[in-house]
Amino acid sequence: MTPERFQALLDSCGADLRRWPEAERDAARALLASDSAALRAAHAEAAMLDRDLDACAIAPPGAALIERIASAAGSTGSAGRARSWWRLEPFWPRAGWALTGMVGAVAGALVVSVALGDNYPAAAADWQKRATAFSDRAADWSEE
Amino acid sequence: MVEKKLGRLLALAERLLGRRGEAEEVAQEVFVRLWKQAPHWQPGRARFDTWLHRVALNLCYDRLRRRREETPDEDADEAAADPADAPDALLQAKQRGRRVARALAELPQRQREALVLQYYQELSNSEAAELMGIGIEALESLLVRARRSLRERLAAEPKEKR
C-alpha cells in the first residue's frame, strides 16, 4: 500500500481500520506501524473526527414504539401471522422447560420400573416385559 | 426480530431525516413491509439486512423529497430540549452530539447518505455503494467530501462549544 492510498482511505473511511476494505487492512496496519510521523499524525486527525461522529448518538427505541409496531403488524394480513409468532416467542423457552420436565418424569418412571422388576408379581412382571421395548427406546435416547 | 433490528433502522432514519418522529414512522413502516413480504422471503442474512436498509432508505428518500416541496424544517432540532439538571459532563456530551448532528444535517444529501451508511451503519464500502446505486470510487469520493466538510464545519464552531 502506498502512503497516498493510505491517506485516501483515511480520508474516506476514517481512522478505524475495521471500516476499511478488508483486503487492504493488513497492509494499512503494517504501514501505520512504520516510522512515518506524517501518517501517524494524519491517522490521529482522522481519529479526532471519528470521536466527534461517535458523539452523535441516537436514543434507543422506546417501549411505546415497539408496541406500536406490534399493533401495526396486527392490522395487516400476513403481518398478523408474523405478529402472532412474535408474540409467541416468549412462550418457547417455557415450553422447553415443560418438555424437559416431562422427559425427566418418564425417565424416572422407567428407572423405578427396572429397579423393582424382580419383586413384582408375575402379572406385573409380564406387564413390565411388555414395557421393555419402551425401556430400550429410553436407552437409545441416552446415547444420542 | 423487532428488538434486534429496530435500533439500527431507527438510527439510520433519524440520521438521514433529522427528526425522531418521522424516523419512528419510517422504522414502523419498514416492519409492516417486512411482514407483508415475509411469506415470499428467501433466506440469507446479508441480503436480508441489505433489503431492510433499502426499504428504509427509499422511505427516507420519499420523505426528504416531500419535505423539499413543503415548508422549511420546523422541528429538526426537536431533540435539543435541554435537561436543566444534567451534570456538566453529560450536558457537554449532549451539546457535542447535537453540534455533530447539526453539521451532519447540513451536508448535501448524498454525502450524508454515504457517511451514514458506511460509518454509522457499518456497511462495507461495496454494500453502501450498491445501496446508493453508485460505484465504489464514487462512494469514496462522497465520503472524502463529507468528512472534509464536517471537519471544517466543526472547526468553525466557537471553541467553548467544542
Side-chain angles (χ1 to χ4, degrees):
Chain A
M1 173 177 283
T2 64
E4 289 75 22
R5 177 61 181 160
F6 185 92
Q7 184 67 54
L9 285 170
L10 204 54
D11 291 342
S12 61
C13 301
D16 189 342
L17 299 187
R18 287 172 299 183
R19 289 191 170 89
W20 289 33
E22 198 172 352
E24 300 184 83
R25 283 177 208 161
D26 286 343
R29 216 169 272 123
L31 195 60
L32 192 59
S34 68
D35 286 335
S36 170
L39 284 186
R40 283 205 303 277
H43 185 261
E45 193 184 348
M48 206 158 69
L49 181 60
D50 284 357
R51 282 195 294 277
D52 276 335
L53 288 172
D54 292 341
C56 179
I58 300 291
L65 174 62
I66 294 173
E67 186 54 39
R68 276 209 312 278
I69 289 174
S71 302
S75 64
T76 56
S78 58
R81 289 194 296 278
R83 182 190 178 214
S84 302
W85 171 257
W86 181 64
R87 288 277 195 198
L88 280 173
E89 262 185 313
F91 163 79
W92 296 115
R94 292 197 297 270
W97 284 112
L99 190 62
T100 304
M102 286 168 62
V103 169
V106 170
L110 285 172
V111 167
V112 169
S113 69
V114 169
L116 298 178
D118 291 344
N119 300 324
Y120 264 48
D126 287 345
W127 175 85
Q128 193 189 350
K129 279 176 188 165
R130 286 198 297 276
T132 52
F134 194 69
S135 302
D136 287 345
R137 291 284 296 160
D140 287 342
W141 294 349
S142 67
E143 289 167 5
E144 284 176 0
Chain B
M1 166 69 77
V2 173
E3 289 177 19
K4 196 186 283 182
K5 304 289 181 189
L6 178 57
R8 203 149 173 254
L9 289 174
L10 189 62
L12 169 68
E14 189 168 342
R15 287 199 172 99
L16 287 180
L17 297 171
R19 297 177 183 178
R20 179 72 174 199
E22 280 196 52
E24 290 190 352
E25 287 171 10
V26 163
Q28 182 173 321
E29 180 62 22
V30 171
F31 280 103
V32 169
R33 293 189 183 195
L34 166 64
W35 286 319
K36 281 180 180 167
Q37 293 295 320
H40 316 291
W41 187 253
Q42 303 288 322
R45 190 179 166 198
R47 286 180 56 205
F48 176 66
D49 272 357
T50 306
W51 182 86
L52 279 182
H53 273 82
R54 187 181 301 283
V55 174
L57 266 184
N58 286 340
L59 290 168
C60 289
Y61 291 156
D62 289 345
R63 284 172 181 267
L64 289 170
R65 201 178 303 120
R66 279 205 302 272
R67 197 186 287 178
R68 279 197 295 273
E69 297 162 6
E70 294 167 0
T71 52
D73 194 354
E74 289 169 356
D75 61 346
D77 221 1
E78 66 182 31
D82 210 8
D85 55 351
D88 279 356
L90 185 60
L91 198 61
Q92 281 177 5
K94 281 177 181 290
Q95 285 174 343
R96 190 174 169 214
R98 281 203 297 273
R99 207 163 40 76
V100 176
R102 212 162 36 237
L104 199 59
E106 288 168 0
L107 286 179
Q109 187 181 320
R110 294 295 270 177
Q111 290 182 27
R112 187 166 68 246
E113 284 167 30
L115 194 67
V116 168
L117 290 174
Q118 193 269 350
Y119 189 87
Y120 288 111
Q121 299 301 111
E122 298 183 337
L123 297 181
S124 69
N125 285 7
S126 57
E127 286 171 325
E130 187 193 337
L131 273 171
M132 292 181 69
I134 57 178
I136 290 180
E137 281 186 18
L139 176 88
E140 287 184 2
S141 170
L142 283 170
L143 288 170
V144 168
R145 282 181 279 154
R147 290 180 68 94
R148 187 187 303 140
S149 178
L150 273 178
R151 190 179 293 121
E152 288 168 3
R153 283 167 201 264
L154 294 172
E157 296 254 341
K159 203 78 174 173
E160 59 272 14
K161 283 190 178 177
R162 294 205 76 185

